[in-house]
Structure formats: C-alpha cells, structure tokens
Amino acid sequence: MKNLEMDVCASNIIHPEAVNKAKESLPSDDLIFNLADFFKTFGDSTRIKIICALMETELCVYDLANVINTSQSAVSHQLRVLRQSRLVKYRKDGKTVYYSLDDDHIKLVISQGLDHLLHK
C-alpha cells in the first residue's frame, strides 16, 4: 500500500500571486455545485454499467436489465437518474423505448476514468 503521508509547509508564508491566480481561476459556486452533482451521478456501479452498455449500442430497459443482470425496476430507476442528469436520452419506436447516451462527452469521461484505473 502506498504511503499516504502528506508533505506540509514548514512556514506560514502566503504566496499572494499564486493565491490570486488560483482564486481567479475558480468557477462560480453554482457551477462547482452542478459539477459535483454531475460527478455524483457516476458514483453508482449500476449507472456505470448502464453507461458502459450504452456506449456500444442503444438498448431498451429489458435489454439493459439482461446485459447488467439486474431487475427491470432497478434499471428504470437508474435510467431516471441518468435522464435527469442529461447523460442518456431516449426514443420511442412503437411501444418500445430505446435508450442511448446523450452525447459523446459521456464516453470520454468514462473512457478516461477506465484508462486511468487500468494504467495505474
């Protein structure tokens, strides 16, 4: 296991230029709150499985339940969360509703996360 000790400053000197630069680059509190919510959406393994399945093709609820080996009810609940976060979209074809990723930015986020974990 890696050593989790942190190095700390031995002095109490503040570096005003660096502090001001960092403060100026911070997004607004509202934007940070929304970004935190966006990333919270990725905090559930069922939602990640759904996203990974939808990275390949569009699927209906029953197909998704079969792919990730869970109940249709659980998939429907997680799809609701993903829709509210605008990560997935749907289209109707007769009585069947097909889900897909809202756009390619979701693929990028998941792919980069997986790459990071695989290449640690």
Side-chain angles (χ1 to χ4, degrees):
M1 183 171 204
K2 290 183 179 179
N3 184 353
L4 297 179
E5 270 186 49
M6 290 183 57
D7 291 328
V8 294
C9 290
S11 67
N12 294 333
I13 298 172
I14 292 177
H15 303 88
E17 288 179 22
V19 169
N20 288 335
K21 185 176 180 179
K23 281 183 177 183
E24 289 170 5
S25 71
L26 281 179
S28 70
D29 287 345
D30 285 343
L31 191 55
I32 288 175
F33 179 80
N34 291 333
L35 183 62
D37 273 353
F38 172 76
F39 281 107
K40 274 188 222 174
T41 305
F42 295 104
D44 180 272
S45 60
T46 301
R47 289 193 289 266
I48 296 293
K49 287 179 185 178
I50 290 170
I51 290 169
C52 287
L54 294 175
M55 285 171 64
E56 297 304 316
T57 187
E58 68 177 9
L59 296 162
C60 73
V61 172
Y62 298 103
D63 292 338
L64 279 164
N66 187 273
V67 168
I68 66 171
N69 197 29
T70 194
S71 70
Q72 176 269 332
S73 175
V75 169
S76 291
H77 171 73
Q78 298 304 339
L79 283 169
R80 191 173 314 113
V81 173
L82 292 168
R83 275 195 331 264
Q84 289 171 344
S85 297
R86 296 188 313 245
L87 297 178
V88 300
K89 61 185 176 184
Y90 67 93
R91 71 173 181 87
K92 292 183 179 184
D93 185 9
K95 293 183 179 184
T96 306
V97 178
Y98 291 97
Y99 290 87
S100 61
L101 296 181
D102 192 74
D103 61 39
D104 283 343
H105 82 277
I106 298 126
K107 283 184 183 181
L108 181 63
V109 169
I110 296 297
S111 295
Q112 287 183 340
L114 289 171
D115 283 348
H116 171 75
L117 294 172
L118 291 171
H119 298 103
K120 270 185 147 179

